[in-house]
Structure formats: structure tokens, C-alpha cells
Amino acid sequence: DIQMTQSPSTLSASVGDRVTITCRASQSISSWLAWYQQKPGKAPKVLIYKASTLESGVPSRFSGSGSGTEFTLTISSLQPDDFATYYCQQYNTYSYTFGQGTKLEIK
Amino acid sequence: EVQLLESGGGLVQPGGSLRLSCAASGFTFSTFAMGWVRQAPGKGLEWVSPISGSGGSTYYADSVKGRFTISRDNSKSTLYLQMNSLRAEDTAVYYCAKGQRSGGVQFFDYWGQGTLVTVSS
């Protein structure tokens, strides 16, 4: 199965900061990558799919890039609503593996 | 509006069985793949099983293969997960998720609110 590794596991930042989360795949997944945001007690919400396509209704401060084995999620200017846990997920194969998550905390 | 409503969770003893249901509305159910994802308490997300729109294609995580069975009733717009031989490590919130199209690999764009399964004696 394809392994997905996110870094960092925890990220402390302030409102207005620019932050980047990295996701690495154990083998090439082309651009078949999605990013999800999850808040405590809530279901995950898709932010980006196909590595860089913003899901409808998601603020433009979120962006994704990468292909092959290395991907990034960038939030250009953190807002209070953005403090949550973020997961990458590959959909190149049916194992649909998730990264272990990155918890974005308020500094 | 897409809505996914899971039910059937609860407390079950190790070795027991449980069937989860997910009632879907707001879209043409039979034309979209569906799936189950779980999240153990305080842990990350784990894909359990997807199923194609027709129900003819399924996949299972190694951790549940041979114990769980995914199915769907397109006439009732309902997704199911039959869970047998349950173990303590199956304790999790189980989410139902909707795919982007009928078949093939894809991402899942709508998720239900989840149902908690607790396996304990």
C-alpha cells in the first residue's frame, strides 16, 4: 500500500501567518491527492482535490501544489477559523491512504 | 442539499456483530460511489471500504478484510457496513462518504457526521 507522511505533526502559528504543510507519498501518485480539514467532533471537509484544485466554497487563502510524491498545502493568511487538523489523502489506488494529520494550533 | 445520515452504532462485545447504515439524500444515489471511513478516539482517519455506484466493485482495508462487508441498496438510497468478529481496535467513529462519480479511484466530497462504535466487554 502507498504510505502518506505529513509534516509537521503539530504546527503553532498566529492569525495572519502564512503556513505550509507537507505531504509525501511512498510512491508516485501523479496528482491524485486531496486535502481535508477536520475540527473537533466534526466530519472532515474537503479543501483541495487533484493536488491543486480548490473545492467550491473554500476560501482562496487555501492553495495546494505538487505532483508525484511531494505535495504542499499553504494557507496564505491564517484566520481564527483555520485552527484545525489537516489530512492529506491519496486516491491513486483504492487503499485511499491518509496522512497521519497535522494539528494547527494557535501560538 | 447532500445529506448523509449514519445510524446503527453502539456498544458491542468483542466477537460480536453490528450493521451500520447510511441514509443518503439530495443526489442520485446510484450514480455515485460511496464508502466508509473510521477514526479511532484521538487518532487519524482510516479508509475502511469503498463501493462503486452499481455495487459491483468493492475494496477493503487489510485491517477489516474478511470481517466487514460493504453493500448498498440503490432503491432505498442506503449504504451499509456489516461488521462481524469485532475487535477492540475497531472502536471508532464511522463516517459515510460520497464519491465524485460511479466508479474508479476518486476523492470523496461529502461526509456524514459519523456514528460511534465501541467494542468492549
Side-chain angles (χ1 to χ4, degrees), chain A residues 7-105:
Chain A
S7 60
S9 296
T10 307
L11 181 56
S12 296
S14 302
V15 172
D17 284 353
R18 178 184 179 91
V19 298
T20 297
I21 298 169
T22 298
C23 178
R24 289 186 174 87
S26 60
Q27 64 188 72
S28 177
I29 58 170
S30 185
S31 295
W32 305 121
L33 184 99
W35 287 98
Y36 295 86
Q37 176 193 67
Q38 187 180 33
K39 297 181 179 178
K42 300 294 186 182
K45 170 189 168 185
V46 63
L47 301 173
I48 286 168
Y49 61 94
K50 208 173 179 183
S52 60
T53 303
L54 201 64
E55 174 72 339
S56 176
V58 173
S60 59
R61 62 181 180 272
F62 290 92
S63 64
S65 65
S67 66
T69 62
E70 187 150 339
F71 303 86
T72 58
L73 172 70
T74 299
I75 308 172
S76 59
S77 178
L78 273 174
Q79 299 302 301
D81 190 50
D82 300 338
F83 292 95
T85 300
Y86 293 84
Y87 294 92
C88 63
Q89 183 222 337
Q90 66 82 15
Y91 54 104
N92 185 65
T93 66
Y94 284 107
S95 58
Y96 288 151
T97 330
F98 288 96
Q100 80 277 18
T102 295
K103 186 175 183 180
L104 182 52
E105 300 178 329

Side-chain angles (χ1 to χ4, degrees), chain B:
Chain B
E1 178 191 6
V2 171
Q3 292 195 346
L4 301 171
L5 184 61
E6 302 96 336
S7 61
L11 175 64
V12 60
Q13 291 189 339
S17 297
L18 213 54
R19 188 176 84 155
L20 305 183
S21 299
C22 172
S25 61
F27 63 101
T28 306
F29 184 72
S30 62
T31 62
F32 292 95
M34 299 292 294
W36 291 97
V37 179
R38 69 184 181 182
Q39 186 169 36
K43 302 297 184 182
L45 300 168
E46 179 189 18
W47 255 102
V48 173
S49 179
I51 185 170
S52 63
S54 67
S57 178
T58 59
Y59 178 90
Y60 297 94
D62 287 344
S63 57
V64 306
K65 200 173 295 183
R67 300 187 299 123
F68 289 12
T69 302
I70 191 171
S71 62
R72 62 191 296 160
D73 185 336
N74 286 343
S75 69
K76 296 182 179 178
S77 296
T78 302
L79 176 72
Y80 302 101
L81 185 68
Q82 178 66 44
M83 304 186 294
N84 298 332
S85 303
L86 282 160
R87 306 166 180 167
E89 54 265 35
D90 295 319
T91 294
V93 173
Y94 285 73
Y95 294 102
C96 163
K98 169 190 165 291
Q100 280 279 289
R101 55 181 183 273
S102 180
V105 288
Q106 59 196 275
F107 78 97
F108 288 69
D109 56 358
Y110 286 92
W111 297 54
Q113 286 307 300
T115 186
L116 176 62
V117 172
T118 303
V119 184
S120 175
S121 55

